[in-house]
Structures are given as structure tokens and as C-alpha cells.
Amino acid sequence: PDFVYSTQFTVEGWVKRGGNNYIIDIGKLIGGQLQLKPAQLERSVDVYMPCSRTFEYNISFEIPQGYKAEGLDKLVINAANETGSFVSEARQEGNILKLKIARVYTNAFEPAGKWPRLVEIINAVNDFQNKKILLRKG
């Protein structure tokens, strides 16, 4: 069966002030991800993962009254190949920013030759994790 849970939490340091505006490290909401070191970008050994898996995130972020969110277009990502995918969608409904994100690893085993394709997915996830939005007063 699927393991499904919901949580609410408060984090510090993901909101920075810039004059009357705020910069939000929105990509960090998906949590820590695998960070590859330069030496790990090449691989000659096959990849064994615990199982094929899918991680889905449905995030609602409330935009404060009097602010407008900018940079939502940069949150839309679609990276997919035979090893997996990373797809993120962002839309604003009223004062709520809604993010729908799916990270998929298709197989538990990947031959070493497909490592560069798996790195593409890992890099897409890491790129998203570094995304920010601007809340502009106005």
C-alpha cells in the first residue's frame, strides 16, 4: 500500500528580506536531496537502489495580503528519460501558490552505462531545490 502523510512545520532562514520585498527559498520545501560531488559524475559500477519509487509533493504556500509572487515560471520543470523523471508544476489560485511535484526513479537497478541519464534527473531535482520566488509588495 501507498505510504501517505501530511505535515505542517515552521522553518527558519528560508525567507530573506529585500527592502519591502521577500525572497523565498521555495525549492527547499522538498527537503534535502542527493548532492553529487564532481568525482561521482562518472561511474563504472552498476547502480543498485532499494526499489523503484515515486515521491510526490503537493505544497500550498500562502502569499501574504498585499504581495505578488514573481518567478513562478521558473518552478515549472519537466525532465524525463528511461531512468526516471522530475516534474514540477506551479500555479497561483488567489493568494495560494500551489506546487505539484513528482520525482520518480523507474528501476531499482540501472547499468553503469545509464548513470549519466540518472544524473540528469538528480540534477533536475537539485536545480529545483535551489529555486526562489520573489514576493513583491504592491
Side-chain angles (χ1 to χ4, degrees), residues 59-63 91-98:
I59 299 168
S60 295
F61 180 87
E62 186 176 350
I63 300 167
R91 70 182 188 284
Q92 187 172 338
E93 294 179 3
N95 70 328
I96 304 293
L97 167 58
K98 295 198 173 202

Side-chain angles (χ1 to χ4, degrees), residues 70-83:
E70 296 180 1
L72 301 185
D73 57 323
K74 294 180 174 119
L75 301 176
V76 177
I77 298 171
N78 188 352
N81 61 44
E82 67 276 11
T83 66

Side-chain angles (χ1 to χ4, degrees), residues 77-126:
I77 298 171
N78 188 352
N81 61 44
E82 67 276 11
T83 66
S85 63
F86 180 77
V87 177
S88 66
E89 302 170 4
R91 70 182 188 284
Q92 187 172 338
E93 294 179 3
N95 70 328
I96 304 293
L97 167 58
K98 295 198 173 202
L99 299 172
K100 183 176 181 181
I101 302 158
R103 177 172 44 117
V104 177
Y105 298 101
T106 307
N107 305 302
F109 168 79
E110 293 291 355
K114 288 191 178 178
W115 175 244
R117 303 291 282 160
L118 192 55
V119 168
E120 291 174 16
I121 303 304
I122 294 168
N123 287 341
V125 174
N126 285 319

Side-chain angles (χ1 to χ4, degrees), residues 49-62:
M49 296 180 271
C51 58
S52 60
R53 57 212 185 275
T54 299
F55 300 92
E56 292 181 345
Y57 308 86
N58 291 296
I59 299 168
S60 295
F61 180 87
E62 186 176 350

